[in-house]
Structures are given as structure tokens and as C-alpha cells.
Amino acid sequence: MVTGPDGLRLAAYRFGGAGSPLVLAHATGFHAHVWLPWLGALRERFTVYAWDLRGHGESGRPGDLEAYRYEALGRDLLAVADRFGLGRVFAIGHSVGGAVIVQAEVLRPGTVARAVLFEPIILPPGVTAPTQRVAAAERRRRVFASTAEMLERWAGRPPFASFDPEALRGYVEHGVRLRPDGAVELKCSLEAEVGTFLQDVRSDLWARLGEYRTPTLVLAGDRSDSRAAPLAERQAARMADARSERLPGLSHFLPFERPREMAARALAFLLGGTPVKAWAAPTS
């Protein structure tokens, strides 16, 4: 457990490996263990760390929705890096996790050596509150009879129907806590999910993208929201040293639809080796 700058307790993990430190940042509603299918590839070249965002997984839950602002999430990443004594890190982030990586680097320039961001939620001015996502969070079922019921229910329903089976199993089995009545309940609370969503449109991170100088690859799926790929291109254009790419056949959840392929693609960029656009996924 790591103590954040505001005293909140954060669950952080050293997932092992060899080499330079690599920090993984998950999306709203997820948790650190969703990255489990990635670890086999990542640990060959990096020592891997992750943490549960505030209000998610085993981390503490702030009582105030304003405590989920991007600046607080970015300072949490810095607290985790400091607790493990990591110094400069490589980073991979998905959705809000991508924004958190950028926020941490803006707060403390020189923290992130190189990064891969999957559809980071960094929005330009004028975007309205994410009412559809908030409404979906409010409707989301949070209590189930068992993880087996969750897997059976979600395996055929979007967005989880497109998940790699190992990724879905990791999300489910590490994403619930046992209740006294024997049922299981999602660890991510409604307040944490809504609180994080609402900060998407309250952040000033878009205006500060010019300060972000980390070499970065921004990836978007062509089956995602129609605005996702153009937004990724705009984000990369505002960064000092970044490029973007659209990936065919994938949605906003691309890191977990083809986790091994995406891990290999991320490694190619992080290691500064094979140009990403010339890279071909293994067939087996």
C-alpha cells in the first residue's frame, strides 16, 4: 500500500521482470490486474509496476467526487513511482490511464521516458459532460451470484464479447470482492466510476499538451467511437514528440481485445526498435 499525496491509500503492485521500470495505468472501472495477459511479454524486457486508481480495485475511496480530478490521479502515479524508488519510467496507459501518464509527466517533467497511450481521454475545450457514460455507470449491475455468472453473462455482451478470454477472466476475477451473503460485488464503486468520468471534461490537460515532451505513440481502434481516431491524431499533433495510428478491427478496448499483439506493438515502440508502421503481428 502506498500513501498518496492527500493521504489516500493506494494498492500498488510490482509484477516482476527484468530491466528498466515500466508503469501500467488502467482505465476507468478497471484495475491493475487487467494487464495480466500482457505480463509474459513485458517482463522479458522491463520490470513491471501498476496500481489501482483511487476508488478502484483495492485502493481507497475518496469521499468527494472532486478528489478524482486528473491532477490528483497524476500525483498518485508519482507517489507510486517514488514509493518503489523508480526514478524515470516507461509507461503504458489505456483510456483515463493514458491521461494520467500525461498528467504525471506535466506535473514532473522528465518522469516518463517513453510512452504508449491507447485512446487517452484528453479532451479539447467545449466537450460536454459524458452523460451517456455516467448513465451507463448508474445502470451497471454491480452484484452477481458468482464470477462464473459474470463470465457467462458478459462473454456474449459488448463490450466484453470482444475481449480476449484471458483478459476478461482477469478483469472479472480480480475486479470483485466477496460479500457476506456469498455473492460478489464489483470493487469499483459507482462514485469512483462517475467521479472519474466527470473529470474528463473538467481537466485543463488539453491546453498543456504542448508541455508534454515524452516520445509517445497514441493508438486508437477504428471500431471505437467515430471521434476516437481523429482525437488521437489531434492529441499527437499537440505533443512535442508523438505520432498516432489507427488500428483496424479494434474498439476502445483494444489493449484487451488482442493483448499479446498490442503488447508486442507497444514493446516495439518503447524499445525504439522496429518502426511501428512496419511491424507485423505474429501469426501464432
Side-chain angles (χ1 to χ4, degrees), residues 70-72 74-75 78 99 101-109 122-125 202-214 234-241:
Y70 276 15
E71 183 175 344
R75 293 193 186 281
L78 297 176
I101 289 166
V102 174
Q103 180 71 76
E105 172 63 20
V106 168
L107 288 169
R108 187 191 292 173
I122 304 171
L123 304 177
R202 297 176 183 175
S203 167
D204 67 349
L205 197 52
W206 181 269
R208 303 191 67 182
L209 284 178
E211 303 172 36
Y212 176 78
R213 309 193 66 80
T214 298
R234 292 178 64 189
Q235 290 166 345
R238 293 180 67 87
M239 297 172 181
D241 186 7

Side-chain angles (χ1 to χ4, degrees), residues 2 39 85 104 107 122 134 154 161 168 227 234 237 247 262-263 279:
V2 175
L39 296 185
L107 288 169
I122 304 171
V134 169
W154 285 350
L168 178 57
R227 299 167 293 182
R234 292 178 64 189
L247 302 181
M262 294 300 102
W279 178 90

